[in-house]
Amino acid sequence: MIYRRFVKRLFDILLSGLALIVSSPILLVTALLVRLKLGSPVLFTQERPGLHEKIFKMYKFRTMTDARDENGELLSDGERLTSFGKALRATSLDELPEFINIFKGDMSFVGPRPLLVRYLPRYNEEQRHRHDVLPGLTGLAQVNGRNALSWEKKFEYDVEYARNVSFALDMKIIFMTVGKVLKRDGISSENNATMPEFMGNKDTGD
């Protein structure tokens, strides 16, 4: 399909470049606030699997502190997530640096969300097809319930998207995403503070 192979990537380059320019004042102000309230580094980077499970570094604004217990171990995600960090997630401002990933070609505007590298061996063969396309800033699972969904249902939506990529579907997801952001309906990152870790599929004994 022409859209899937060529046009989608062209849109990603043009729109992410424009988004980086237009949002640069917001990026700068947010970066300064993160530095003042949460410290450095301002950006949170983490390896995630992308197209064909190729590993890349994903960029986000940090939303948690480095608070540790008496043994020097990091506290849980929920304990380190501040009210400021929650506000960043509620408004999806923490996601803005992912425009860089989209411009570089690590991600697309629309696709399955990039999850943790350690999840890779836990997928069944059907779920692995979520990596047949670039991961996205938003996706079909995010606009159909996100954290209210089970992991299995999320992956069903991911694979459904991977098999049915089209311009019309991407536009539908983008418009639905805008509505959820305006409603502050939470489409931020996957982490233990909002979603339990995916440990494998019960029906396969993983």
Side-chain angles (χ1 to χ4, degrees), residues 76-169:
S76 68
D77 288 358
E79 293 175 295
R80 293 187 293 122
L81 182 60
T82 66
S83 57
F84 173 69
K86 290 178 182 178
L88 288 181
R89 294 186 181 190
T91 56
S92 294
L93 288 174
D94 64 316
E95 307 277 0
L96 293 183
E98 289 174 51
F99 289 150
I100 300 171
N101 289 119
I102 297 172
F103 189 79
K104 289 173 58 184
D106 300 323
M107 294 175 60
S108 176
F109 272 99
V110 181
R113 283 296 296 166
L115 300 177
L116 301 176
V117 174
R118 64 175 177 267
Y119 290 180
L120 287 176
R122 303 174 188 175
Y123 299 134
N124 61 32
E125 288 305 310
E126 177 73 2
Q127 292 165 350
R128 297 184 81 90
H129 285 294
R130 71 189 307 276
H131 294 291
D132 290 348
V133 294
L134 284 170
L137 184 65
T138 185
L140 196 57
Q142 280 61 50
V143 297
N144 280 286
R146 193 178 173 266
N147 288 329
L149 302 174
S150 67
W151 279 115
E152 289 74 18
K153 191 62 179 179
K154 283 174 183 280
F155 298 148
E156 285 181 23
Y157 278 122
D158 291 344
V159 174
E160 178 184 343
Y161 175 80
R163 289 176 171 160
N164 297 282
V165 176
S166 69
F167 175 76
L169 181 57

Side-chain angles (χ1 to χ4, degrees), residues 28-76:
L28 179 59
V29 171
T30 304
L32 289 173
L33 289 173
V34 170
R35 178 65 179 85
L36 289 172
K37 293 180 176 292
L38 299 176
S40 61
V42 169
L43 291 181
F44 168 78
T45 62
Q46 189 175 57
E47 290 190 338
R48 300 286 176 101
L51 179 64
H52 305 315
E53 301 182 2
K54 180 180 178 182
I55 307 302
F56 70 97
K57 284 188 176 181
M58 187 177 76
Y59 308 112
K60 304 183 73 169
F61 281 123
R62 69 182 298 178
T63 56
M64 294 187 287
T65 68
D66 289 325
R68 298 173 182 269
D69 61 22
E70 61 274 11
N71 297 317
E73 299 292 331
L74 284 173
L75 298 176
S76 68

